[in-house]
Amino acid sequence: MKLAIISIALAGTSAFTPSTLSKGSTAIRSMEESFVESPVEPMEEMTEPAIDPINGWVPNEVEPCFGLPGAIAPTGFFDPLGFARPGISLNEIKRNREAEVMHGRVAMIASVGYLAGEAIKGPFNIVGPANDQLQQMPAPAFALLTILIAGAELKRATIGWVEPDFGDWTRTLWKLRDNYYPGDVGFDPLGLKPEDPIVYKNMQTRELQNGRLAMIGVAGMCAQELVNHRSIMETIDFYSKVYGGENPYAACGDSIIC
């Protein structure tokens, strides 16, 4: 009886075992095939849009002055007053550089005008120190000069500056265009602007350095003429006599200003 019961139990157990294993193996194979047939697609990487370079310059907030040229040895990046300190926005950096470039260009022209205007007798019988020549211009000529300067400034504003939004004026106030390079107003009648970005950067550095020197020089010439009311060459002649041991006032007589 014991053997009969054991044999019946084993037979019943073996009857259920194959079907269970076959079902489990089928499920495992189906899962493996699903992983093989439909692999997981990789996620697309989020990339920031590339910034188009402007004359070879791409603003970089890590570099001083956002990477604009103008720093040379031995001073390097010289900014004691903090006009380009970290935290200044790109628009402010570009606006300050725009002002520096344009004032430097005006100063370079003015430095030549001081010397040439005093050495050559110009139209309308304008003579004397350059500081005193503007008020000698006739009213029509002065008005024409004013109109020409205003027209040039308005043209520059339409090229580099964002149009004002009178509905929300704070949004566009003092704002330059994103694709505008400070000082590049498109005026190049002699075709001197290079196409190579490296050469253009070097030319910009030279222009900035000469403009900075011209601003200091013109300020000195203007201050000198305000003090002694002499032209630049007369001042040079005056001090050459002083250092040569001569009396610079010998030919003045009783005049206060000679």
Side-chain angles (χ1 to χ4, degrees), residues 112-159:
V112 176
Y114 261 84
L115 300 176
E118 294 176 349
I120 302 172
K121 186 177 181 180
F124 313 115
N125 295 322
I126 297 176
V127 293
N131 283 9
D132 302 332
Q133 291 185 4
L134 188 61
Q135 57 266 35
Q136 298 179 40
M137 292 183 64
F142 183 81
L144 179 61
L145 178 63
T146 304
I147 292 172
L148 291 176
I149 295 175
E153 288 298 306
L154 288 174
K155 180 64 176 178
R156 181 171 68 93
T158 58
I159 294 173

Side-chain angles (χ1 to χ4, degrees), residues 14-126:
S14 61
F16 290 102
T17 302
S19 61
T20 305
L21 292 175
S22 62
K23 288 181 181 180
S25 60
T26 303
I28 293 171
R29 283 198 304 272
S30 62
M31 290 176 65
E32 292 177 351
E33 290 174 359
S34 63
F35 281 114
V36 174
E37 292 177 358
S38 58
V40 178
E41 296 181 359
M43 296 180 64
E44 296 182 359
E45 297 181 358
M46 300 297 292
T47 58
E48 297 181 356
I51 301 175
D52 294 332
I54 311 171
N55 292 331
W57 169 65
V58 177
N60 187 355
E61 62 181 3
V62 178
E63 298 181 6
C65 207
F66 280 83
L68 283 170
I72 61 172
T75 59
F77 178 68
F78 182 73
D79 183 30
L81 298 181
F83 286 107
R85 64 181 181 274
I88 299 295
S89 66
L90 175 60
N91 183 72
E92 289 179 292
I93 293 292
K94 291 175 63 176
R95 183 160 52 88
N96 291 337
R97 174 53 58 87
E98 170 84 356
E100 183 180 26
V101 171
M102 301 309 297
H103 283 83
R105 291 171 181 173
V106 172
M108 285 188 283
I109 297 173
S111 62
V112 176
Y114 261 84
L115 300 176
E118 294 176 349
I120 302 172
K121 186 177 181 180
F124 313 115
N125 295 322
I126 297 176

Side-chain angles (χ1 to χ4, degrees), residues 69 72 194 196-208:
I72 61 172
D196 187 280
I198 303 299
V199 179
Y200 182 82
K201 181 178 180 180
N202 294 333
M203 180 177 284
Q204 277 285 289
T205 301
R206 291 196 298 271
E207 182 185 23
L208 282 165

